[in-house]
Every structure is written in structure tokens, then in C-alpha cells.
Amino acid sequence: MVVGSDGFGFAKIEEGDVTIKTWPRLAQDRPVRNVVIESNAELQANTCIDRASIGETRIGRGAKIDNLVHVGHSCTIGHDTLLCAQVGLAGTTDVGNT
């Protein structure tokens, strides 16, 4: 299980007349965001949850996340929401009673 990994994406860095696209972890002054896992949430094997790029990534109270699920950056999973195996959520997706 991985909680709080860097999300997938690119950042633009302007250097004179050149624009460089780079992974976010290489960009300077990138704010560190968080992952919130509320009480009684269950995360199964090989679940990956990216930390937020804006706001927070939140797993709601009593949510159940099955094996091989990917939760993208800044997603919100509602209370008592079920995500079954091999679900993938793109960044900033809201699911359930958010």
C-alpha cells in the first residue's frame, strides 16, 4: 500500500526563453499537501493514494477500498463509500456523499 505518493503530472518551469516540463517533485517551491484518512476506513493490498496537488486527498469515514485501487491527487471519497478492485480515479474526482 502506498499513501501520500506524488501524483502524476508535469510542472512548467520558465527559464529565460525556454519552458521546461518536469515532474512535480523536481519543481522548486512546490507546496506539500496531505492525505486525510478518516476513522474506520479500510485500505486493502496494493492500494495507492496520491497526496493532493491542491486542497487535500480525503478518504471518508467507513470507506472501504479494495485491492489494486488507485486514488488520484485531490480526490474525495465519501463516507461509507465502496471502491472495488482495479478502480482508478483521476485527480480531483469526488465519489459518494462528499
Side-chain angles (χ1 to χ4, degrees):
M1 177 177 356
V2 178
V3 175
S5 65
D6 286 338
F8 179 80
F10 292 94
K12 288 185 179 181
I13 300 174
E14 302 285 338
E15 290 187 7
D17 295 336
V18 178
T19 299
I20 300 170
K21 291 185 178 179
T22 183
W23 292 101
R25 67 179 151 273
L26 301 178
Q28 296 178 0
D29 301 324
R30 185 173 58 87
V32 175
R33 304 295 182 178
N34 61 350
V35 174
V36 176
I37 301 174
E38 295 181 4
S39 62
N40 296 320
E42 293 183 18
L43 309 176
Q44 298 298 317
N46 296 316
T47 296
C48 296
I49 303 173
D50 292 344
R51 83 170 145 240
S53 57
I54 47 176
E56 64 185 12
T57 300
R58 179 173 291 271
I59 310 300
R61 181 193 66 236
K64 309 296 187 225
I65 300 179
D66 199 4
N67 301 324
L68 300 169
V69 172
H70 175 83
V71 177
H73 62 85
S74 307
C75 287
T76 301
I77 310 302
H79 301 286
D80 300 317
T81 300
L82 302 176
L83 297 179
C84 296
Q86 299 184 7
V87 166
L89 300 178
T92 66
T93 299
D94 293 337
V95 176
N97 55 351
T98 57

